[in-house]
Structures are given as structure tokens and as C-alpha cells.
Amino acid sequence: MAKTKMSKTFMKENCDENPRKRRKLDAGTTKQTWLTKTDRLDDIYREMGVDLLSESSHESCMSITENTPACSVASRNDTLLVPSAPRVLLPCQRDNVSPQSNGTVQSLTPRKIAKKLIYSNYHSKCEYEDFMSKLSDEIMLNIFRWLPKYVLAKCARVCHRWNNLVLDETLWKRIDLSNKNLPPGTLGNVISRGVTILRLAKTEIEDPLFTGLTREIKMTRLTKIQYLDLSMATITMNSLEELFSVCRDLRKISLENADVNEAICCHIGENKYLQTLNLCMCRGITANGLVPITSNCQNLESLNLSWTSLPRHTIVYLVLCLPASLTKLNLSGCRQNITDDDVFQLCKACPKLKELDVSDSTALTCTTVHHVADNLSQLEHLAISRCYHIMPLTIPVLAKLPNLLAIDVFGMLREVLLEQLKKSMTRIEINKFPFSSIARPTTGIRRTSVWGLRVRDNVI
């Protein structure tokens, strides 16, 4: 009330002291006049919202002037009225207005106000409530099981609980690190998580394998690897020996094109449940290295020693000491080091053979075909490609084998003789498999599995 009385007195004094100015404005045709009659002052104050201002008002003048709309100019010979001032609202009264991009204010309907309140309440709850913490460990593990391994590694940094869940062994059963470059200590860290199926084909592994806390694995031997694929991998013999020194539960191994020594072969021989061993194109295999494998791995079923440049005395020992459980054997590429007598001893030692590959053995003759036909009654696939001393007329003798399904004789017969052989052995496939798949983890276009087992939990 005090502010209202003071403003009224001030305006009356100004109107009385300047009658000339007021008459001058009234006489001019282009000038605009303000209505200052005392009977309209109360209405003007009411429109300006002066009576709503109080001492408790905390709004600044800057906010009022910024929200005040521009004055509209009256038409010619009309009186210009004072524009109405914006209403000063408390914060609790501002839910029914919404600022626009052009600076104007738009009123909200009750439905929009309700939506705005629901939205604000929902987000206020989300800021303070952690819904993930309410899930059980079993549910969280089922969620993590759908994530790729590199995402799991990032999830371990979120909190202590997630870190413990990510280290669960059920999430690391299958790992595919093929065509990767593993820095020092990475492989040891992966092995320590309880991996069962590990694919490292064409992977570059840097020394050392174990660093930090993972070096304790070398003492405790807690690795659980059962299926290991190191085909065409770049790894030193020291790292390979260090790796096999902590593996005692291996079922299937592939070391294609690797450098090995007697110590590595001894560690391989300690896996008494070994079933499949692929040593194709490996260098450094000796008779002393094969002794622990042939004597301890009595469950061995598939063995690939092709193109390993085995010396003569090693082949003599091998054909005499191979386990009787063997069903698939590849000894191709022996050249002059394997003879007909060696094949005969092999048939006696392994009568359960179903697949035999002795290709590129130029010392073998027709006698080998007769030994195979008389002793290997369960044979299904025989490969004698490029064995040039075997006469084509002897090959039909193999037709008496009841289970024989395929014969490979690449590079031995001309087209005419090959057609005659196919007609005489209609039940048997001729030259169907140009490459051997004995003990190899991957064949054809299947690159996401080893020995028929998936190495990836899900397809992303």
C-alpha cells in the first residue's frame, strides 16, 4: 500500500508541473499521448499487477523485463494504453506455462500438466533407485551370457559385484581368439578364468604367458582346458612348454605347423584322456618325444603325423607302439621312410582303423594293398595318392572290405583307367576327398567351431 500511494503522488505532481508539455503532446498530430487521468490510475495499476507485488517477492527486475511483451502502438488519433505487465508467479505456480522457442509463453492444459508431473516423478525415482542391484546373481549371469567377451571385460569395471560376476567360469567356457595378437600375460589371464574350449588359430602370442597373479597357476595347475587349437599359431617353444605344463585334462589338441621338442611331447603325454592329436607339419618330433604319448595316451583315437619328416627309426618305433584304440591315422609324406612291412605291422597294432592316409609314400607297393585288404576289416577310407609303385590293377582288391566307402588315388591313374576303376567299384567313391581331415579342428567353411564344438557362445 505504501508503494501504491507514493506512485500515485509522483504521477500527479508530474502531470501538474508540466501542463505545457501535456498540451504540446495533445496538439501534435504525430505525437502519441499517455492517458493520465486520475480515475484510470487504479485500473492501470491493476493491469500492471502492482497490487500483486509484495515484500516477499524474490523475482528480479531482469526476469520481469525479459518476459515483458513489447508495447503495441495505437492507431492514429487513438490513445495509447499502458501495456499489462506479466504476472509474477511463485515457483510452485509455474507448472501451467511452458516457454517457447520464440520467447513467448504457452499455457499448458491439465492433461499436459499431469504428463509433466508423471515424467518428472519417474526420472526422479530413476536417479536414486538402482534396479540392476535388485536382480539375483543367476539373472545377471544369464544377461552377461549374451554379451561378447570384450564387453564382459568392460562390465568388470562397473562395480565390485559386477567384477565378481564377470569372473564366473560359466561365462568363459568358450573363447575364440583366432587371428589376434595377444600381449604378454594375456593368455595366462584368459586361461585362469576356467576356459574349456580355446581357439588360437593363427594367433600371435607374445612372451611371457603368465604375469602377475596368474603365475600362481603354474604351481597349482588349475587350468581346465580340454580342447586347444593352436593351428598355424606364432608361439615360441618356451611359451608352448609353459602352456602345456599347466594342462592335464586335454582331450583334443592341434599344433599344426609348430616347433616342438621332447619336453613339450612329454607334457602332452601326461594328458591320459587325450583322444585327438594333430601334429601335422610339426618340426622337432623324435622317437623319445613319442614314447610318453604312445605309452600314456591309451585313449588316443585320431593321430595326424603327416609331413613331419619322421626319420626311419622313428617310424619303425611308431608302427609297433601305437595304441590299439586308434581309429584314424595320417602318415602321409613319409616318402622312402615307410615300407610294406611297416604297413603290415601297423595293421597288426591298430586293427580298428577306419581311416588311413599313407599318401606320398613312394616306397609302398602292391603288397601294401593286400595287407590292408586282409587285416583292416573296419576300414572306411583309404588314401594312397601319389604312391606310384602301386599298380592300378591291384586297387580293385580293396572292394572285398565290407565297410570301405572311399579311396583316394590322386595322381596315379589317367582318365581312361580312372573311369574303368569307378565302373568296377561302383559302391566306393573314388577321389572324393583331396585333403585329409584326420585330427584337424576345422574343415571346409566351418570357422566358428573346433572338432564340431562351438567356440562362440552367441552370434553377434
Side-chain angles (χ1 to χ4, degrees), residues 400-411:
K400 67 179 183 179
L401 293 174
N403 298 320
L404 189 62
L405 300 176
I407 298 176
D408 294 332
V409 289
F410 291 100

Side-chain angles (χ1 to χ4, degrees), residues 131-149:
F131 295 101
M132 297 295 290
S133 62
K134 298 181 180 180
L135 300 178
S136 62
D137 292 347
E138 290 78 8
I139 296 177
M140 292 293 295
L141 288 175
N142 288 329
I143 295 174
F144 286 158
R145 198 168 287 118
W146 288 92
L147 301 178
K149 296 300 182 290

Side-chain angles (χ1 to χ4, degrees), residues 420-436:
Q420 293 180 358
L421 182 62
K422 290 181 179 180
K423 292 179 181 179
S424 61
M425 305 175 71
T426 56
R427 182 178 58 86
I428 302 173
E429 296 284 347
I430 307 297
N431 291 347
K432 185 178 180 180
F433 304 100
F435 303 102
S436 176

Side-chain angles (χ1 to χ4, degrees), residues 185-240:
T186 302
L187 184 57
N189 188 16
V190 171
I191 292 175
S192 64
R193 301 191 179 189
V195 182
T196 303
I197 304 173
L198 180 59
R199 184 173 184 237
L200 298 171
K202 300 181 180 179
T203 301
E204 296 183 8
I205 304 172
E206 300 181 9
D207 295 336
L209 296 185
F210 302 95
T211 58
L213 297 176
T214 58
R215 296 192 64 86
E216 298 179 0
I217 301 177
K218 296 178 62 178
M219 302 299 296
T220 58
R221 295 182 177 179
L222 297 178
T223 57
K224 299 181 179 180
I225 302 177
Q226 297 183 9
Y227 305 91
L228 178 61
D229 181 13
L230 282 165
S231 302
M232 311 300 292
T234 303
I235 183 173
T236 61
M237 284 193 295
N238 293 332
S239 298
L240 204 59

